[in-house]
């Protein structure tokens, strides 16, 4: 239970300080939800208004992020939630499992130098460039995901394929490869001007960023992808 200290500092500031300390102590971890408003009310014997003021203060400081219908999360301030996946499934398959219909619109495809991390993972030579595919994805005709895919030059020619189709189907059909293992990272980000326009959300809206580093069935680097999703339209689950 919290009580006002000497100097009459508001209770919501005391609560905000406690939550910040728990984040610093890793009790509340970056990228994860904190206890609900009701749980905090019961733990500290505070009113709903006081708890909400504390959470708003921390949200205004970008320490917390409130995701409608999902809860309040600790903002990622440099770290990512990581998981090792032994079996990669496509976003298309995940959407189908949720009983939804997904469609895709190609925005652009081009060759780019790539970042050092991308070049290292995809094992590029000094004079080689990446193939970058950028797409907008829809659930039941509502935009929910901006997706970037980076492929090594061994997949040259895919630029002429129907890139509105599922990527893994194209790679299997044209290059006889399929996804196997890799690493997946999750991060809470804020919508850029372009992302807000494409996803029809306000700029700075909290979004979920998912990045995949995927090896193929021959244990060779297959692709890197980055998806920025509206969490109010789709919840991503991992099968172990």
């Amino acid at each position: 239970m919290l009580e006002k200290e000497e100097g009459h500092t508001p209770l919501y500031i005391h609560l905000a300080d406690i939550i910040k300390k728990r984040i610093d102590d890793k009790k509340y971890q970056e990228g994860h939800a904190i206890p609900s408003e009701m749980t905090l009310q019961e733990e500290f014997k505070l009113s709903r208004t006081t708890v909400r003021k504390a959470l708003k203060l921390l949200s205004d400081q970008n320490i917390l992020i409130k995701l409608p219908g999902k809860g309040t999360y600790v903002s990622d301030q440099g770290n990512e939630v990581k998981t090792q996946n032994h079996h990669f499934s496509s976003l298309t398959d995940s959407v189908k499992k949720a009983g939804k219909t997904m469609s895709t619109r190609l925005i652009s495809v081009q060759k780019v130098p790539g970042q050092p991390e991308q070049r290292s993972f995809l094992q590029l030579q000094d004079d080689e460039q990446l193939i970058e595919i950028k797409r907008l994805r829809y659930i039941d005709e509502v935009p929910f995901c901006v997706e970037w895919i980076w492929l090594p030059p061994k997949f040259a020619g895919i630029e002429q394929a129907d890139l509105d189709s599922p990527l893994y189907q194209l790679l299997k059909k044209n290059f006889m490869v399929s996804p196997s293992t890799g690493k997946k990272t999750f991060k809470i980000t804020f919508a850029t001007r372009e992302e807000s326009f494409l996803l029809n959300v306000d700029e700075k809206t909290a979004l979920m960023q998912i990045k995949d580093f995927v090896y193929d069935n021959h244990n060779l680097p297959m692709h890197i992808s980055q998806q920025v999703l509206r969490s109010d339209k789709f919840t991503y689950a991992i099968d172990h």
Side-chain angles (χ1 to χ4, degrees), residues 91-92 95 100-107 135-146 164 197-200 230 233-234:
L91 186 60
T92 303
V95 171
K100 305 289 186 178
T101 301
M102 190 169 76
S103 57
T104 303
R105 176 171 68 85
L106 177 66
I107 297 175
R135 311 193 294 183
L136 182 61
R137 316 204 75 176
Y138 299 79
I139 288 180
D140 296 337
E141 300 185 353
V142 177
F144 82 103
C145 172
V146 183
D164 291 340
F197 173 77
L198 291 172
L199 296 174
N200 193 27
R230 288 178 55 177
K233 295 296 180 183
F234 182 71

Side-chain angles (χ1 to χ4, degrees), residues 1-5 9-23 28 34-58 63-64:
M1 181 175 180
L2 286 177
E3 297 180 356
K4 287 187 179 181
E5 295 182 351
T9 303
L11 288 175
Y12 77 91
I13 293 180
H14 290 322
L15 177 57
D17 288 340
I18 290 173
I19 293 173
K20 282 195 289 187
K21 186 175 188 309
R22 289 183 176 182
I23 293 171
Y28 299 159
I34 68 169
S36 67
E37 291 180 7
M38 183 174 295
T39 300
L40 293 172
Q41 284 178 243
E42 293 174 353
E43 179 181 357
F44 296 103
K45 311 302 181 193
L46 294 172
S47 69
R48 188 180 195 182
T49 299
T50 299
V51 171
R52 287 189 169 181
K53 287 179 70 174
L55 298 183
K56 184 179 186 305
L57 176 63
L58 295 174
I63 294 172
L64 296 178

Side-chain angles (χ1 to χ4, degrees), residues 3-231:
E3 297 180 356
K4 287 187 179 181
E5 295 182 351
E6 186 176 348
H8 304 289
T9 303
L11 288 175
Y12 77 91
I13 293 180
H14 290 322
L15 177 57
D17 288 340
I18 290 173
I19 293 173
K20 282 195 289 187
K21 186 175 188 309
R22 289 183 176 182
I23 293 171
D24 292 339
D25 293 341
K26 305 301 182 184
K27 184 172 181 180
Y28 299 159
Q29 297 187 8
E30 293 176 351
H32 292 262
I34 68 169
S36 67
E37 291 180 7
M38 183 174 295
T39 300
L40 293 172
Q41 284 178 243
E42 293 174 353
E43 179 181 357
F44 296 103
K45 311 302 181 193
L46 294 172
S47 69
R48 188 180 195 182
T49 299
T50 299
V51 171
R52 287 189 169 181
K53 287 179 70 174
L55 298 183
K56 184 179 186 305
L57 176 63
L58 295 174
S59 295
D60 290 343
Q61 297 173 356
N62 292 328
I63 294 172
L64 296 178
I65 299 173
K66 186 175 179 62
L67 299 179
K70 304 295 180 182
T72 301
Y73 288 72
V74 179
S75 176
D76 185 341
Q77 298 174 346
N79 294 323
E80 295 174 317
V81 181
K82 300 181 180 180
T83 178
Q84 297 293 328
N85 269 37
H86 296 288
H87 299 284
F88 264 84
S89 61
S90 69
L91 186 60
T92 303
D93 291 338
S94 298
V95 171
K96 284 182 179 178
K97 288 180 181 179
K100 305 289 186 178
T101 301
M102 190 169 76
S103 57
T104 303
R105 176 171 68 85
L106 177 66
I107 297 175
S108 65
V109 56
Q110 60 182 332
K111 291 184 178 180
V112 297
Q115 301 298 319
E117 179 185 42
Q118 296 171 333
R119 297 184 65 85
S120 175
F121 176 78
L122 296 174
Q123 301 178 9
L124 266 64
Q125 301 297 319
D126 291 343
D127 59 343
E128 291 182 319
Q129 290 187 308
L130 302 174
I131 301 167
E132 180 188 80
I133 301 168
K134 185 176 180 180
R135 311 193 294 183
L136 182 61
R137 316 204 75 176
Y138 299 79
I139 288 180
D140 296 337
E141 300 185 353
V142 177
F144 82 103
C145 172
V146 183
E147 177 181 60
W148 292 262
I149 302 163
W150 294 279
L151 296 163
K154 66 183 179 182
F155 294 124
I158 198 170
E159 301 95 325
Q160 282 73 51
D162 178 12
L163 294 174
D164 291 340
S165 302
L167 174 69
Y168 289 163
Q169 290 182 15
L170 291 175
L171 292 177
K172 185 173 183 179
K173 177 181 178 181
N174 296 320
F175 300 94
M176 303 301 291
V177 295
S178 56
S180 179
T181 63
K183 177 181 70 174
K184 186 183 294 287
T185 65
F186 296 82
K187 180 178 180 180
I188 295 172
T189 61
F190 298 96
T192 64
R193 180 175 298 180
E194 179 187 28
E195 290 163 356
S196 67
F197 173 77
L198 291 172
L199 296 174
N200 193 27
V201 298
D202 293 335
E203 196 170 345
K204 305 297 184 183
T205 295
L207 304 171
M208 180 66 74
Q209 180 191 94
I210 303 173
K211 188 178 291 186
D212 292 327
F213 294 79
V214 182
Y215 291 93
D216 65 21
N217 51 317
H218 305 294
N219 202 32
L220 295 172
M222 183 174 177
H223 76 86
I224 300 169
S225 67
Q226 178 176 295
Q227 298 157 347
V228 179
L229 304 102
R230 288 178 55 177
S231 60

